[in-house]
Amino acid sequence: METVVESSIEEQLISGDLQQGKNDDRHLDVSNVPVSASQDILLTEDKAEDLCPESYRVNSADEIRLLSIADNFQRQYSQLYPDRKPLLLCPVNEYGVKKFVSTTLRPTATTYPELFTWEGCACFVANFLSLDSLEPPVNLPRYLFSSTAVLRRQRATCFEYATLLCSLLLGAQYDAYCVSGYAVKELCLLDQSMQDCPLLDTEAKSVSSEPEQQQNKYTVKPLKELRSRFLMQQEKKKQDAEATLLQKQKLQEESKQPCDDPLRGLRVHCWVLVLSGSRNIQENFFIDPLTGNSYSTTHNNFLGIESVWNNLNYYVNMQDCSNGCADMVYDLEDVKTWEPILYGAVSKKQLILDVFKKKELKMMRKISNDDEDDDEEPQVFEMPRSWVSYISISKKDLETRWPGGHKLSYYRKAMLEQCAPYLRPDGLVICLTVYKDLDCTEVDRVKEWYKHRNDYLEEKEVNKVDNFTTERFTHGQHFHLLFHRFSSQTSDAVHEMEFSSSHVDGLVRRVLSPSEMTELFEGRDDFLYYRHVVFSQHVQFSDMATAADCTQFQKVVERFHRNSSKPANEDVAERVFLLTRRQIEVTYHLEDHRFIPSKRVFFKPQESTEQEKAEDFTADMVSSFQVDPFEKPLSTLTLYHMLLALMKDEEKVVLQIKKSKKEVRNILDYREQEEKAIQLHFSPWTTAGAAQAHQQRQEMERVAMEEQRWLQEKEKDTLAPFLIRLDDGETLSTEDAKQLHQDCLAEFKQRLVEHANLIQERLEKETQELQKKQQWYQMNQLHLTEKEENEYQIHCSKKTLEIHVAMKRLSMYLLTHTHTLTSSAFSNPHHKTRLLHPEISNRS
């Protein structure tokens, strides 16, 4: 099929009437464009003048010419292939202007590492937008909004989904194309109700990916396992019955599935095709922009392709799609299988080849010193540049992800709720609810993921069937807790805990139930790695219990690793404290070339009572088994000292067990307090954290300003220093008022005394200076000149006057405050004041 490039619009361009063409294009008739639904969602022209660039409202000369080429192509295509649906070539944008679909693509490179790969781009587009289904589903859409408008609205059709995703992939240097075709109903309507949840698939893969031990044919074959054939047959029957039940359940679920879609093969859908050759892509594949999942090009969800396009050209599929997309070839350079709209236009592969060709020619010219230019090739019409502005994705968009920061998805027997960080006050980001039935009425388990919590909780799973709750923490928890599984928050329930290596005693695992407790250790100096306790009865441990009260324990088993610094027959491998039987069993490590370890059993002598004295230790209280018969047996004294050491260790073990039980209670109490006061750690590198830090800074500045204003006001208040000492300075009780009166009076008296002492100090200073001057005169009066005598007389007169004035001020001050000073200096011993001059005391 040949492309016709003449039209009335192009002739109008050639004749020079370009401006008239622009004005006519702003009101192009869109009645010939395939209509999906009569929806009046386009913006008015007056409002558009202020909200968008001119390229959104007006077509350039190249765009007008491209519209004419597309119009002719559409007309010829309809005539040659009347049985095929019209192509999506020139839909209307958000301002009512026809735009060619290839110019709607805007290759955009982002600076965020999350969008450097196709997985990140597909995940962002699928999460950030919500779907507007095509109505009717068998027709192409009438409108195709720009990616900038789609990001603002966060609502899009599948074509707008694919346009945004393809723009991001082209900016990331992928060879990506938008595909217009047909797909199954579930893909078109984003119906995932019959698909397994991806999180469940991830859990199944993690369980199945455990490394299997490779069998070595040279190893010794294990002994034949002696098992009952009858039991094996019964077990096989049970497994067959379970498999049959599962098969029946699958058949019932399949019978509940909806019947065949009457519109199968007619539902219009748009997705993205990524060709191999760029970014180390080895094989072609599809990307569904609604879910972000990748599919093979032969997947049966895709039923046919009408056309594909990128920012350089538009290609119409000329291959048979009766078998879906399984037999299709994606060699877009082959005009027999793909009909381009712009013949001779450059493609992605041609651009790459041209770059290598220019580099090769440049090298050849340097070698041959040939400066002659190549013959110019005839120019062809190239695809105009995109009319869409730069696609801007903010950091807040990446953090928010979903419309409103929240998304709810339904899968087969599962419901997935996703939230943006910091959206929920408890830090919830993912909540997966698994059901037992397809109708999602009976809950099987609920699994939640958290982030940025102050209690470092990362995962929480509630099993409704077994009535168990599992919590997982990151490093940094108060008790170094990493894992906690329990049936209830009381200490009487079963608690399974795992700790990090930072635990003070090397504890890594603890399982506590009302009847027993098991603890595992790592990296201890005493080589202890296992402890198992059996309780004789269900007893609550109290803090007032003594170490000697061992009746609540029935048995304690401890196991130790090998200590190479000791001989094997002296290195304890296991010791068992049978507290109710007053017996201690010690088993040692195996010696080299031995098959049986040495063992000793100690029987503790009876303690003294009011009627009987303590039983003496004898050699009969120890039962020993030594592997080496030639080894000299231990003396009775040595065995007695060993028993004493074991009894002390028994007391320490009892205390440690009680400490472990108390630690469990403390963990439960602390977790209960943490759940009541959940706070989130805001990172300053996120938009929410930056906003929180800005609010905190504003609050601190406000508090500082209020405090400064309060201090300025209180500087004028003489009672402020005394009110600060009170708990509540706003409301005073009778006792507080009396105390305030006494404090003020005492402070006033103290100030009077300090003032009187200051005057006294100045008087004494002047008197001492005058006395020193008089002594100097008496020693040197025979040798003084007349000038020096005059200076002496003047100095004495000045000092005498100053002393007289100081005495006068002091006498007047004392006469005024005589009663206050005497009561302060002598009646109030709590105030430390210096004694006044004797003359002052006499005057007072």
Side-chain angles (χ1 to χ4, degrees):
M1 179 173 57
E2 297 180 357
T3 304
V4 180
V5 296
E6 281 90 6
S7 68
S8 58
I9 299 179
E10 188 173 7
E11 292 174 356
Q12 191 177 21
L13 277 172
I14 298 174
S15 62
D17 195 8
L18 178 61
Q19 184 64 34
Q20 183 66 28
K22 288 184 179 179
N23 296 333
D24 293 343
D25 181 70
R26 293 181 63 176
H27 304 282
L28 287 173
D29 184 17
V30 297
S31 59
N32 295 328
V33 180
V35 179
S36 61
S38 58
Q39 300 179 9
D40 187 13
I41 60 173
L42 304 180
L43 299 178
T44 60
E45 190 172 342
D46 295 337
K47 190 176 181 180
E49 295 289 339
D50 301 329
L51 296 179
C52 70
E54 187 179 3
S55 61
Y56 283 65
R57 308 185 309 270
V58 179
N59 284 322
S60 64
D62 290 339
E63 287 180 307
I64 294 175
R65 185 178 178 185
L66 180 61
L67 290 175
S68 66
I69 295 174
D71 183 54
N72 290 330
F73 190 93
Q74 184 79 270
R75 188 163 49 252
Q76 295 182 48
Y77 177 81
S78 300
Q79 292 176 358
L80 295 175
Y81 305 98
D83 297 336
R84 296 182 64 172
K85 289 186 178 181
L87 301 172
L88 181 66
L89 295 178
C90 304
V92 179
N93 70 354
E94 60 265 35
Y95 296 100
V97 181
K98 276 188 175 182
K99 295 290 184 180
F100 192 69
V101 289
S102 294
T103 60
T104 307
L105 292 173
R106 179 65 159 87
T108 302
T110 63
T111 58
Y112 302 110
E114 298 92 331
L115 302 180
F116 286 174
T117 60
W118 71 264
E119 294 93 340
C121 295
C123 182
F124 169 74
V125 173
N127 292 334
F128 191 72
L129 304 178
S130 56
L131 178 64
D132 283 337
S133 301
L134 298 177
E135 291 295 339
V138 297
N139 288 349
L140 294 170
R142 173 186 174 184
Y143 56 89
L144 183 64
F145 285 7
S146 64
S147 298
T148 55
V150 168
L151 288 174
R152 287 196 303 268
R153 296 174 64 240
Q154 288 192 263
R155 299 191 63 85
T157 62
C158 57
F159 285 84
E160 292 162 347
Y161 265 87
T163 300
L164 175 59
L165 176 57
C166 190
S167 299
L168 295 176
L169 293 178
L170 290 173
Q173 303 303 317
Y174 285 97
D175 191 8
Y177 298 83
C178 290
V179 182
S180 175
Y182 309 96
V184 296
K185 178 181 178 181
E186 291 76 16
L187 210 63
C188 297
L189 300 181
L190 192 56
D191 183 9
Q192 300 172 304
S193 58
M194 299 308 298
Q195 299 180 12
D196 293 330
C197 181
L199 289 180
L200 293 177
D201 293 343
T202 304
E203 293 177 0
K205 289 179 181 178
S206 62
V207 173
S208 62
S209 62
E210 294 181 355
E212 298 181 358
Q213 295 182 357
Q214 297 182 356
Q215 295 183 356
N216 189 354
K217 62 181 180 180
Y218 298 107
T219 56
V220 179
K221 292 183 179 181
L223 297 176
K224 185 177 180 180
E225 186 178 1
L226 301 178
R227 296 183 61 185
S228 171
R229 293 182 181 179
F230 175 75
L231 295 178
M232 293 174 64
Q233 291 176 358
Q234 294 296 323
E235 186 177 355
K236 185 178 180 180
K237 288 181 180 180
K238 184 178 178 181
Q239 292 177 357
D240 293 341
E242 293 178 353
T244 305
L245 182 61
L246 290 176
Q247 187 68 22
K248 289 182 179 180
Q249 291 179 355
K250 287 184 179 180
L251 292 175
Q252 292 178 359
E253 292 174 0
E254 290 178 358
S255 62
K256 291 182 180 180
Q257 291 183 5
C259 57
D260 294 338
D261 182 19
L263 298 178
R264 180 178 174 83
L266 300 177
R267 293 183 181 273
V268 176
H269 190 54
C270 187
W271 62 95
V272 175
L273 167 66
V274 180
L275 296 182
S276 60
S278 299
R279 293 289 302 269
N280 296 327
I281 301 298
Q282 303 298 328
E283 294 182 359
N284 306 333
F285 64 92
F286 292 147
I287 302 177
D288 180 29
L290 304 186
T291 59
N293 298 330
S294 63
Y295 298 87
S296 169
T297 54
T298 60
H299 201 278
N300 55 8
N301 282 348
F302 304 95
L303 306 178
I305 295 177
E306 289 286 356
S307 58
V308 300
W309 65 89
N310 64 354
N311 61 319
L312 300 176
N313 210 336
Y314 189 101
Y315 304 91
V316 180
N317 179 32
M318 308 304 297
Q319 304 174 66
D320 183 19
C321 294
S322 58
N323 195 24
C325 301
D327 301 330
M328 291 191 61
V329 179
Y330 298 95
D331 184 8
L332 301 182
E333 303 297 329
D334 186 4
V335 294
K336 294 182 180 180
T337 56
W338 297 95
E339 181 81 11
I341 283 187
L342 299 180
Y343 278 97
V346 67
S347 64
K348 184 86 172 179
K349 293 182 179 179
Q350 290 175 354
L351 285 175
I352 297 174
L353 293 175
D354 288 345
V355 171
F356 285 110
K357 184 177 180 181
K358 288 181 180 180
K359 289 183 177 180
E360 184 178 357
L361 290 175
K362 189 175 181 181
M363 293 296 296
M364 294 298 293
R365 286 174 184 172
K366 288 183 178 180
I367 296 173
S368 60
N369 295 325
D370 187 7
D371 296 334
E372 295 181 1
D373 296 335
D374 296 338
D375 296 335
E376 295 183 358
E377 297 181 358
Q379 295 184 355
V380 296
F381 182 74
E382 299 286 350
M383 186 69 66
R385 63 177 299 177
S386 177
W387 56 273
V388 181
S389 301
Y390 181 81
I391 301 175
S392 177
I393 300 175
S394 64
K395 190 175 182 180
K396 184 178 180 181
D397 294 338
L398 286 176
E399 295 174 358
T400 306
R401 284 286 178 172
W402 303 278
H406 177 268
K407 184 180 181 181
L408 195 63
S409 304
Y410 294 93
Y411 296 91
R412 182 177 177 273
K413 295 184 179 181
M415 180 183 67
L416 181 62
E417 181 183 3
Q418 296 170 297
C419 303
Y422 307 109
L423 180 67
R424 296 277 293 267
D426 58 351
L428 179 68
V429 292
I430 299 177
C431 178
L432 175 63
T433 306
V434 182
Y435 299 91
K436 294 182 179 180
D437 55 342
L438 286 176
D439 297 333
C440 298
T441 57
E442 188 176 357
V443 178
D444 180 72
R445 65 182 186 273
V446 179
K447 191 171 183 179
E448 298 172 339
W449 284 263
Y450 298 90
K451 280 186 178 181
H452 313 296
R453 284 174 59 120
N454 61 338
D455 59 354
Y456 298 93
L457 180 64
E458 189 176 29
E459 294 181 14
K460 182 177 181 180
E461 182 176 354
V462 180
N463 194 318
K464 301 292 185 178
V465 179
D466 300 332
N467 195 24
F468 266 95
T469 301
T470 304
E471 295 178 340
R472 299 181 186 274
F473 303 84
T474 57
H475 289 274
Q477 212 270 347
H478 183 70
F479 291 92
H480 308 285
L481 188 64
L482 296 179
F483 175 87
H484 184 200
R485 177 176 292 164
F486 55 92
S487 57
S488 67
Q489 285 286 3
T490 61
S491 58
D492 299 337
V494 178
H495 293 273
E496 182 180 350
M497 299 180 180
E498 293 181 4
F499 302 86
S500 65
S501 57
S502 304
H503 201 276
V504 62
D505 57 353
L507 179 67
V508 295
R509 182 179 174 83
R510 176 187 291 143
V511 180
L512 176 64
S513 67
S515 59
E516 60 182 1
M517 180 178 68
T518 303
E519 293 179 323
L520 301 180
F521 303 89
E522 286 183 359
R524 287 177 61 108
D525 296 335
D526 57 357
F527 298 94
L528 175 67
Y529 71 91
Y530 175 84
R531 177 186 292 148
H532 180 72
V533 184
V534 179
F535 304 121
S536 58
Q537 55 184 349
H538 180 48
V539 179
Q540 288 288 341
F541 293 92
S542 62
D543 297 337
M544 301 301 294
T546 60
D549 186 14
C550 304
T551 58
Q552 51 199 358
F553 304 115
Q554 181 179 354
K555 181 181 179 181
V556 179
V557 180
E558 289 187 334
R559 295 172 184 168
F560 301 84
H561 286 299
R562 180 74 172 89
N563 185 2
S564 58
S565 62
K566 295 181 179 180
N569 59 351
E570 296 179 6
D571 188 14
V572 178
E574 180 184 83
R575 60 185 183 186
V576 181
F577 299 99
L578 302 173
L579 292 92
T580 56
R581 296 164 55 182
R582 300 182 59 80
Q583 182 177 335
I584 302 176
E585 299 178 358
V586 180
T587 305
Y588 298 91
H589 282 279
L590 282 171
E591 300 182 26
D592 295 338
H593 311 294
R594 298 288 185 181
F595 298 97
I596 302 175
S598 300
K599 187 174 181 180
R600 287 189 177 90
V601 180
F602 294 85
F603 298 92
K604 294 188 293 184
Q606 295 293 332
E607 298 177 355
S608 61
T609 60
E610 295 180 356
Q611 292 81 12
E612 298 179 358
K613 65 177 182 177
E615 185 179 4
D616 295 332
F617 178 80
T618 61
D620 298 336
M621 294 182 178
V622 181
S623 174
S624 302
F625 170 76
Q626 293 182 352
V627 179
D628 188 359
F630 301 102
E631 185 178 355
K632 183 179 180 180
L634 299 178
S635 63
T636 304
L637 181 60
T638 304
L639 294 175
Y640 176 69
H641 288 306
M642 290 179 63
L643 177 60
L644 292 179
L646 288 173
M647 293 175 64
K648 291 182 179 179
D649 291 341
E650 182 181 85
E651 294 179 358
K652 293 180 181 179
V653 168
V654 170
L655 290 176
Q656 290 174 356
I657 294 172
K658 293 182 179 181
K659 183 179 177 182
S660 299
K661 185 88 177 193
K662 183 179 178 181
E663 185 182 25
V664 172
R665 291 200 306 271
N666 293 338
I667 291 176
L668 298 180
D669 295 340
Y670 192 78
R671 286 290 303 130
E672 185 178 359
Q673 295 176 4
E674 286 181 329
E675 288 292 339
K676 293 180 180 179
I678 299 175
Q679 294 181 356
L680 302 181
H681 296 299
F682 286 88
S683 173
W685 309 113
T686 59
T687 55
Q692 181 74 8
H694 183 66
Q695 292 178 1
Q696 292 180 355
R697 182 174 181 179
Q698 288 182 339
E699 182 67 17
M700 292 173 62
E701 292 177 353
R702 185 187 64 81
V703 172
M705 291 178 62
E706 290 182 356
E707 185 177 356
Q708 185 68 22
R709 191 183 306 111
W710 181 82
L711 291 176
Q712 291 177 357
E713 293 176 357
K714 292 300 181 180
E715 284 180 356
K716 305 176 183 178
D717 188 2
T718 56
L719 296 179
F722 305 98
L723 292 175
I724 293 177
R725 304 172 187 173
L726 302 177
D727 296 335
D728 188 4
E730 299 295 334
T731 57
L732 298 178
S733 61
T734 305
E735 293 76 7
D736 293 338
K738 291 181 180 180
Q739 183 65 31
L740 183 63
H741 174 263
Q742 294 177 1
D743 293 343
C744 292
L745 185 59
E747 184 71 20
F748 177 66
K749 292 178 181 179
Q750 180 66 19
R751 290 184 180 181
L752 293 180
V753 173
E754 291 177 355
H755 195 188
N757 290 335
L758 181 60
I759 298 174
Q760 175 65 23
E761 289 176 359
R762 291 179 180 177
L763 177 60
E764 292 175 355
K765 181 180 179 182
E766 297 296 337
T767 304
Q768 290 177 2
E769 290 180 356
L770 179 59
Q771 291 176 355
K772 288 181 180 179
K773 195 66 175 178
Q774 289 176 350
Q775 291 176 1
W776 174 82
Y777 177 75
Q778 292 176 1
M779 293 175 61
N780 301 300
Q781 61 180 347
L782 299 177
H783 306 287
L784 294 177
T785 61
E786 184 177 357
K787 182 179 179 180
E788 290 177 345
E789 286 186 1
N790 293 335
E791 291 178 355
Y792 170 73
Q793 294 295 335
I794 295 173
H795 179 75
C796 289
S797 301
K798 183 178 178 181
K799 289 296 180 181
T800 304
L801 179 60
E802 292 177 354
I803 291 173
H804 178 71
V805 172
M807 293 179 66
K808 188 69 174 177
R809 289 182 59 189
L810 183 58
S811 61
M812 293 176 62
Y813 187 82
L814 292 175
L815 290 175
T816 306
H817 305 287
T818 300
H819 177 72
T820 305
L821 287 174
T822 53
S823 61
S824 173
F826 302 104
S827 300
N828 191 358
H830 298 288
H831 292 279
K832 296 181 180 180
T833 58
R834 60 188 300 272
L835 294 176
L836 299 176
H837 193 272
E839 184 177 355
I840 300 175
S841 301
N842 295 333
R843 290 178 179 271
S844 62

